[in-house]
Amino acid sequence: MPDERDRPPAGPFTIRGAVMHTPCLGGLERHQDAALEVAADGAVAALHPAGSEGFAAAVAAAARAGTLLALSPAHTLIPGFVDLHVHAPQWPQAGRALDLPLERWLQQYTFPLESRYADLDFARAVYDDLVGCLLANGTTSAVYFATIHEAPSLELARVCLRAGQRAFVGLVAMDDAAECPDFYRNADAAQAIAATRRHIDGVRDLPGNEAGLVRPIITPRFIPACTDALLHGLGRLAQETGCLVQTHCSESDWEHGFVAARTGRSDTASLDGFGLLRRHSILAHGNLIGDDDMDLIAGSGAAIAHCPISNVFFSDAVFPLHKALQRGLLVGLGTDLAGGYSPSVLDNARQAVLSARLLASGVDPDRDRSMRGQGDAARIGFREAFWLATAGGGDALGLPVGRFTQGSRFDAILLDADAPGSNIRLHPGESDDDRLQALFGATRANMAGVWVDGRRVAGTRA
Ligand code: GUN
Ligand code: FE
């Protein structure tokens, strides 16, 4: 197997063709013809729309150097997707047992499955398969929960690095004997904190990871599974190491109520008290956060991983996405494999639009229309959903990815509408918004090329 250190440098190269991105929330920039220059270090050097100063020279220079990739009319270059919340070990149960409520799903299916990752060979096989699948679906950055097992969780980081995926990998911490089964929990808070410290060092020191493509992330599973000692200890560790934090927050009535009963406060306020609500902390779900919670999250610079498919099954309510964006929260998307059944961020972007639409219109036909939903203000549009899947996710993590602005890392997907098995048809002359909405129908069959940091890492075309 080739060593990741032997990989050739990324660029420089230039891609000429249709380019689309959402550099800011609500903004859509599409060029039917443009030249996107990628520098030798994998950064976006420039985006020249056809006819602009620099376009012809950039195309000519790349053609002379033999580094021009000319796209066909069926192609569109878009930023890679950011998945803010994936449980890597749950991949084997994707789509299963979603008829159960969260608390039974965890105890009957999830904890027994996750306990099997003590077996390093089993872990490596699943993680290899998952990371390849996510890259093929255009996920260029992923934020993973692994399990409580140290070597297998470090192996997930190694798999991401080898495959060339940008990733945050978390060793799960869960020590509360009242909520976690004997066969799957940390011995105590001190053991979990020491293991997390080793995981942080291990990921940072992986050979070939000098640029930090793969990073550790501190991962208390959720308040119900952790003692106060563990939560406080991990908050101190985040402060000391500067590592990002991820956890679940106000996901369902059961979970939200459990925390309120134990701490007398909301999840958000409790996490803040434990020192875990920090800049770029990733809070999964957040469906039941109130206005005060939103203010706390916005003020701290933490972010919500909105997981709209998983939420349909486990959340008991629709996340107030439009309101959160209006109040200035950082928000991106998560598949929440395997609470969510789909490995595709694009599927979740589409579901974000659908769920917001249902929140707006309401769902109970026995109620009068005026009483049924929150009203049209709760909707979100396709532009916003695309932004969440790309730049919104990048901003949530503080990473320069998700848009083709100069200096961003070149993480990108080449969509081919004419690929074998394509479900989408493009029509010449359609508006930017029509084209954007059409491309929401893309599947992995359309993903002809996927790049991370300027390196080609996946795609259906050789
Ligand atoms: N809360 C705590 N653990 C989990 C998990 O694995 N999945 C989801 N959806 N919620 C959780
Ligand atoms: Fe989750």
Side-chain angles (χ1 to χ4, degrees):
M1 189 175 299
D3 190 296
E4 44 275 3
R5 283 165 297 187
D6 297 335
R7 273 209 234 110
F13 59 91
T14 297
I15 299 184
R16 180 191 176 170
V19 177
M20 186 180 80
H21 68 152
T22 47
C24 60
L25 182 61
L28 173 62
E29 187 181 334
R30 179 171 80 105
H31 305 292
Q32 193 49 47
D33 189 13
L36 192 150
E37 292 184 280
V38 179
D41 69 352
V44 174
L47 175 60
H48 307 285
S52 69
E53 197 186 337
F55 172 79
V59 172
R64 261 197 317 276
T67 55
L68 182 67
L69 175 57
L71 306 185
S72 87
H75 287 159
T76 308
L77 190 72
I78 64 171
F81 298 133
V82 179
D83 188 340
L84 289 181
H85 187 59
V86 200
H87 294 270
Q90 295 175 20
W91 179 225
Q93 69 176 17
R96 277 77 155 188
L98 294 174
D99 53 322
L100 297 179
L102 173 63
E103 56 277 26
R104 281 180 49 206
W105 177 83
L106 286 172
Q107 298 290 344
Q108 290 178 20
Y109 279 78
T110 304
F111 294 160
L113 172 59
E114 290 193 14
S115 72
R116 294 177 58 194
Y117 287 76
D119 177 346
L120 183 59
D121 291 334
F122 176 68
R124 188 183 294 118
V126 174
Y127 293 159
D128 257 331
D129 181 47
L130 172 66
V131 171
C133 178
L134 294 185
L135 281 171
N137 277 281
T139 300
T140 49
S141 297
V143 184
Y144 292 105
F145 274 58
T147 63
I148 67 171
H149 311 103
E150 291 187 58
S153 298
L154 189 58
E155 186 63 19
L156 173 57
R158 233 181 248 118
V159 167
C160 295
L161 190 60
R162 201 178 297 134
Q165 186 181 47
R166 196 182 297 286
F168 288 82
V169 176
L171 178 75
V172 172
M174 44 194 281
D175 70 329
D176 194 331
E179 287 302 309
C180 307
D182 290 344
F183 61 82
Y184 188 55
R185 72 159 179 268
N186 294 113
D188 55 34
Q191 182 269 325
I193 294 163
T196 298
R197 190 184 283 282
R198 285 190 292 272
H199 179 75
I200 292 169
D201 291 342
V203 174
R204 287 179 170 169
D205 292 345
L206 280 178
N209 197 26
E210 290 73 23
L213 188 73
V214 180
R215 302 181 195 186
I217 183 165
I218 292 173
T219 307
R221 182 170 206 119
F222 63 160
I223 293 175
C226 302
T227 61
D228 285 8
L230 176 55
L231 294 162
H232 273 303
L234 292 179
R236 282 191 293 269
L237 193 61
Q239 168 81 24
E240 178 195 323
T241 59
C243 248
L244 298 195
V245 172
Q246 64 176 346
T247 190
H248 295 86
C249 174
S250 291
E251 179 176 2
S252 68
D253 283 322
W254 165 77
E255 192 267 343
H256 188 70
F258 186 102
V259 174
R262 179 171 131 193
T263 69
R265 296 193 286 181
S266 68
D267 281 43
T268 304
S270 304
L271 291 169
D272 192 34
F274 292 122
L276 293 164
L277 198 69
R278 297 166 51 84
R279 244 169 101 69
H280 305 301
S281 286
I282 303 298
L283 311 180
H285 307 282
N287 301 303
L288 300 173
I289 56 174
D291 289 356
D292 290 350
D293 296 326
M294 285 204 187
D295 289 345
L296 252 183
I297 293 168
S300 68
I304 298 286
H306 177 38
C307 307
I309 293 180
S310 167
N311 288 347
V312 169
F313 298 104
F314 290 154
S315 77
D316 307 313
V318 174
F319 174 66
L321 174 57
H322 183 265
K323 185 174 169 183
L325 291 172
Q326 252 194 341
R327 292 176 85 105
L329 272 70
L330 294 170
V331 186
L333 294 175
T335 58
D336 193 28
L337 281 173
Y341 53 75
S342 170
S344 160
V345 174
L346 197 54
D347 283 355
N348 278 275
R350 205 185 295 116
Q351 184 64 44
V353 175
L354 298 178
S355 292
R357 193 69 172 257
L358 294 175
L359 181 63
S361 64
V363 294
D364 183 353
D366 287 342
R367 289 179 180 229
D368 183 75
R369 179 182 166 80
S370 64
M371 302 289 293
R372 221 178 275 152
Q374 292 191 346
D376 285 350
R379 292 184 180 192
I380 65 139
F382 288 88
R383 290 180 176 206
E384 287 78 14
F386 191 84
W387 178 87
L388 289 169
T390 53
D395 292 352
L397 292 163
L399 291 177
V401 301
R403 47 173 78 81
F404 292 137
T405 45
Q406 191 182 10
S408 292
R409 308 306 300 167
F410 184 68
D411 290 9
I413 303 166
L414 177 58
L415 292 179
D416 180 2
D418 287 349
S422 176
N423 291 333
I424 51 180
R425 305 286 179 269
L426 303 185
H427 309 302
E430 59 193 343
S431 71
D432 291 349
D433 283 293
D434 282 348
R435 180 59 59 88
L436 171 73
Q437 292 184 37
L439 292 176
F440 265 75
T443 65
R444 65 183 282 176
N446 299 106
M447 302 200 181
V450 179
W451 288 261
V452 174
D453 234 25
R455 288 199 175 84
R456 180 84 175 256
V457 292
T460 54
R461 289 238 306 235

